[in-house]
Amino acid sequence: MTNNSIYSSFIEAKTGELIPALKNGKTLESRYNPKNDALKKLNTIDSSKSFFIVIGIASGIFINELLKRNPLAKIICIEQNQEDIDFLMQSSLIKQISQNSNIIFCNQNNIVEILLNNYIPAFYGNIQIIENQIWCLENRDSHQIIQALLNKSLEYISKDFSVQSHFGKLWQSNIINNIKLLNTFNIENTISIPLEKEAVIVAAGPSLDKKISYLKNNNDKFFIISTDTAYSTLLKNNVFCDCVVSIDAQQISYNHFINENKSSKDTLFVFDLTGNHSACKKLLETNHKLLFTINNHPLSNFVNSFSNNIFPSIFTGAGTVTIGAVDLAVKLGFKKIQVYGADFSYINNKPYTKGTYLDSLYFLSNNKINSAEKAFSSLMFRTEIKKSRENRIKTSVLDSYEASFNYYLTSINADYKKEDDIYKIEILNNKNHLSIKKQNSINLDELYSKFKNENCNFNEKKQIINLKNTDICLLPLISWLRNNDNIKEDNFSDLLKIAYSIILRLE
């Protein structure tokens, strides 16, 4: 074998099993009875879990015994490099294990990709990492790299799962209730797209305070797309918005549209299908134009395919309305775009521009004990801060938003720069032309019947490959169920059964 492998040969234990030996002569398992040691180790872990990471494959005896205890478990098996895996594949046991579709062999070069593509917390629940201690001691540098990569990957997955576990039920409720609006109202969503103009995206960062007068005086020169948080500020300053984008599912987002009677009936309100239902209903009751879009929620995508793709897809990154507003402008066909108020920092100790709903909310309850200033301070300093410049405060959360925004611009091949707190973006070779279809009623009876047909045989769905489309639609809701203290079940089949009962109750 290649000299790059840490292994030199296989030796036979006294009980007959083949175990790999390192080049320094050491073995990773007992030379007397490796199977007995594997069983002892197995008794120290919760083998009923469904997802494991094993660092140090060794002879494969432990992995094989784990599979016997839990045949449906997904196991990610890690070695230092591909040469080590190739060497271990000489073992008939490891070769046999590798043919199991639930076993994935990887190394530190592809572990991040493999983990992101395979670990779905809603389905598998908690993860368990099992280390071969001798392997970790003999490969200290590699072990540290692997630990760092695992931490990075799991942190990303954890953030996504945290959002799903918080909003899973609310998203689903909003989707169903917003579909019902299509069946209740004759929704108007037509809009003129003057591509000869420059699109201006307006976010609600504090730097917007100095830009409002310019936008007001040059309103007719731009096609203005406001984020929901900035909308009330623009409305109070008599700046007309062509579009307003909202993706927030929470009830508090209704406050962005509390003064909707003062807005123009020509403004198109663009809501993600998971967006706040009360706000959508209020806008329609006051005869405003509304366009529902989708992002990556599996139920939204399922409904869209079910209804002849009437919902255009708008990319919002990890849930950033500013990215969504820019993506809307790109897909409408604009080649030149400016972005105001995307500060990704607190300027002069201000989290937002003047005139957002937070001003009204905090000053309404302002008193000597609980002042508005205290409320804004709590908002800004809810996470650890770091000063970037004299009058600007940054946090790791704001940094991640900025990184996501810049990554998005790079991914769409945009030429961009930031001057005087304004992003100036040029879309190269923009061939996007969003097709806005009439969003007619959706037959909910037929939609529900698809879920009723799959509301059975839950015990057969213990492997992710066996899930139907309707099952996948319910994964965000199952994330919420896993985080609900009143739900004691941890088994995916039981959680899936509860999820079906919830969506069918919405009928």
Side-chain angles (χ1 to χ4, degrees):
M1 292 298 293
T2 174
N3 290 329
N4 290 329
S5 174
I6 63 171
Y7 301 104
S8 62
S9 61
F10 285 90
I11 65 173
E12 187 174 323
K14 288 189 176 181
T15 48
E17 295 91 349
L18 288 179
I19 59 175
L22 302 175
K23 286 180 177 177
N24 61 12
K26 294 182 180 179
T27 59
L28 304 178
E29 297 149 291
S30 167
R31 297 184 185 220
Y32 178 72
N33 193 337
K35 182 176 179 179
N36 186 56
D37 284 1
L39 291 172
K40 287 181 180 178
K41 186 172 186 177
L42 193 59
N43 290 331
T44 66
I45 68 171
D46 184 0
S47 57
S48 66
K49 292 190 180 300
S50 299
F51 200 102
F52 299 89
I53 294 176
V54 175
I55 302 177
I57 297 170
S59 66
I61 294 173
F62 172 79
I63 297 168
N64 192 48
E65 294 303 320
L66 179 56
L67 276 174
K68 289 179 182 178
R69 192 79 61 93
N70 190 344
L72 298 179
K74 175 79 80 172
I75 307 175
I76 307 296
C77 307
I78 305 174
E79 279 290 324
Q80 182 175 234
N81 52 47
Q82 188 59 41
E83 286 84 355
D84 293 338
I85 295 174
D86 292 340
F87 179 92
L88 294 173
M89 281 293 181
Q90 296 177 96
S91 162
S92 58
L93 177 58
I94 292 179
K95 189 174 291 185
Q96 174 192 327
I97 291 171
S98 69
Q99 293 171 357
N100 188 315
S101 60
N102 283 335
I103 305 297
I104 300 177
F105 287 179
C106 69
N107 58 69
Q108 63 191 47
N109 294 323
N110 59 4
I111 186 173
V112 172
E113 179 184 0
I114 284 176
L115 195 55
L116 293 179
N117 288 338
N118 286 277
Y119 179 43
I120 302 172
F123 181 81
Y124 292 109
N126 291 333
I127 199 169
Q128 187 155 1
I129 299 176
I130 305 162
E131 297 180 338
N132 183 303
Q133 293 299 324
I134 301 176
W135 189 98
C136 295
L137 288 172
E138 293 296 321
N139 298 279
R140 285 186 176 88
D141 292 343
S142 183
H143 180 230
Q144 288 179 357
I145 293 171
I146 289 170
Q147 281 186 317
L149 292 172
L150 287 176
N151 289 338
K152 178 181 178 181
S153 304
L154 292 174
E155 181 182 3
Y156 177 85
I157 293 171
S158 176
K159 286 180 180 178
D160 182 58
F161 177 69
S162 178
V163 173
Q164 291 191 43
S165 63
H166 185 75
F167 291 107
K169 187 177 182 182
L170 182 58
W171 284 337
Q172 181 166 295
S173 177
N174 282 341
I175 290 169
I176 298 298
N177 286 321
N178 285 335
I179 290 172
K180 291 178 179 178
L181 291 177
L182 294 175
N183 299 351
T184 304
F185 293 89
N186 182 24
I187 298 179
E188 177 66 47
N189 59 14
T190 57
I191 186 171
S192 175
I193 312 297
L195 294 180
E196 71 278 3
K197 289 186 176 182
E198 192 166 3
V200 168
I201 312 303
V202 185
S207 69
L208 183 61
D209 289 344
K210 296 181 179 180
K211 315 296 181 184
I212 285 287
S213 59
Y214 176 77
L215 290 174
K216 182 178 180 179
N217 295 331
N218 294 273
N219 207 153
D220 293 339
K221 295 181 180 179
F222 302 121
F223 185 90
I224 295 181
I225 302 175
S226 176
T227 61
D228 48 8
T229 314
Y231 173 57
S232 57
T233 297
L234 296 179
L235 201 61
K236 289 173 183 176
N237 286 275
N238 298 314
V239 177
F240 168 74
C241 300
D242 295 278
C243 292
V244 179
V245 177
S246 182
I247 64 173
D248 192 353
Q250 300 174 94
Q251 181 62 31
I252 199 168
S253 67
Y254 176 87
N255 291 279
H256 297 312
F257 309 100
I258 205 161
N259 293 314
E260 86 293 328
N261 288 320
K262 297 180 180 179
S263 63
S264 170
K265 295 298 187 287
D266 292 327
T267 299
L268 176 64
F269 292 87
V270 181
F271 271 71
D272 190 272
L273 197 58
T274 62
N276 179 251
H277 168 69
S278 297
C280 295
K281 184 179 179 182
K282 185 66 174 177
L283 289 166
L284 290 174
E285 287 175 343
T286 49
N287 300 314
H288 285 84
K289 296 179 181 181
L290 186 67
L291 174 70
F292 284 118
T293 61
I294 60 171
N295 185 13
N296 57 4
H297 193 290
L299 180 57
S300 293
N301 284 282
F302 182 78
V303 171
N304 200 33
S305 61
F306 172 79
S307 55
N308 297 317
N309 298 312
I310 62 174
F311 302 112
S313 177
I314 300 298
F315 181 73
T316 61
T320 308
V321 68
T322 305
I323 292 178
V326 175
D327 196 57
L328 175 63
V330 172
K331 288 177 177 173
L332 287 174
F334 288 96
K335 293 185 177 180
K336 290 190 175 181
I337 302 169
Q338 294 186 40
V339 184
Y340 290 64
D343 299 321
F344 306 111
S345 61
Y346 304 138
I347 302 176
N348 295 323
N349 293 319
K350 289 187 58 180
Y352 290 108
T353 186
K354 295 177 184 176
T356 68
Y357 79 96
L358 288 173
D359 285 353
S360 303
L361 185 65
Y362 289 167
F363 282 106
L364 183 66
S365 57
N366 184 47
N367 55 55
K368 291 182 179 179
I369 298 176
N370 294 302
S371 65
E373 182 178 347
K374 180 180 178 181
F376 279 116
S377 294
S378 297
L379 176 66
M380 288 188 292
F381 304 130
R382 64 188 186 275
T383 58
E384 186 177 351
I385 65 168
K386 52 185 179 181
K387 234 175 205 182
S388 58
R389 294 209 303 264
E390 184 178 351
N391 66 334
R392 296 184 184 237
I393 294 174
K394 303 277 284 183
T395 70
S396 59
V397 173
L398 293 174
D399 281 347
S400 69
Y401 290 158
E402 184 174 20
S404 296
F405 186 71
N406 291 335
Y407 177 80
Y408 163 76
L409 294 178
T410 302
S411 71
I412 61 171
N413 194 29
D415 184 16
Y416 68 95
K417 59 183 177 181
K418 192 173 186 181
E419 295 179 348
D420 191 26
D421 293 317
I422 300 173
Y423 277 90
K424 296 184 178 180
I425 305 166
E426 184 173 358
I427 309 300
L428 307 175
N429 304 317
N430 191 355
K431 298 179 181 179
N432 289 285
H433 289 287
L434 188 68
S435 176
I436 300 178
K437 300 179 182 178
K438 179 68 176 176
Q439 295 182 337
N440 298 314
S441 61
I442 293 175
N443 191 324
L444 279 171
D445 290 336
E446 288 187 12
L447 181 65
Y448 284 125
S449 69
K450 291 184 177 295
F451 285 92
K452 287 177 181 176
N453 291 338
E454 295 298 330
N455 187 28
C456 59
N457 302 324
F458 297 108
N459 286 329
E460 297 178 3
K461 299 174 179 180
K462 292 183 177 180
Q463 294 196 75
I464 203 160
I465 194 172
N466 294 333
L467 298 187
K468 305 292 185 180
N469 287 337
T470 49
D471 305 327
I472 294 171
C473 289
L474 301 176
L475 288 178
L477 176 62
I478 292 172
S479 296
W480 178 84
L481 290 171
R482 287 194 181 278
N483 196 45
N484 191 319
D485 291 337
N486 295 322
I487 306 296
K488 303 304 180 184
E489 289 83 357
D490 187 51
N491 183 279
F492 177 77
S493 299
D494 295 333
L495 293 171
L496 185 62
K497 185 176 181 179
I498 296 171
Y500 268 92
S501 70
I502 290 175
I503 193 168
L504 291 173
R505 280 204 306 268
L506 293 173
E507 183 179 2

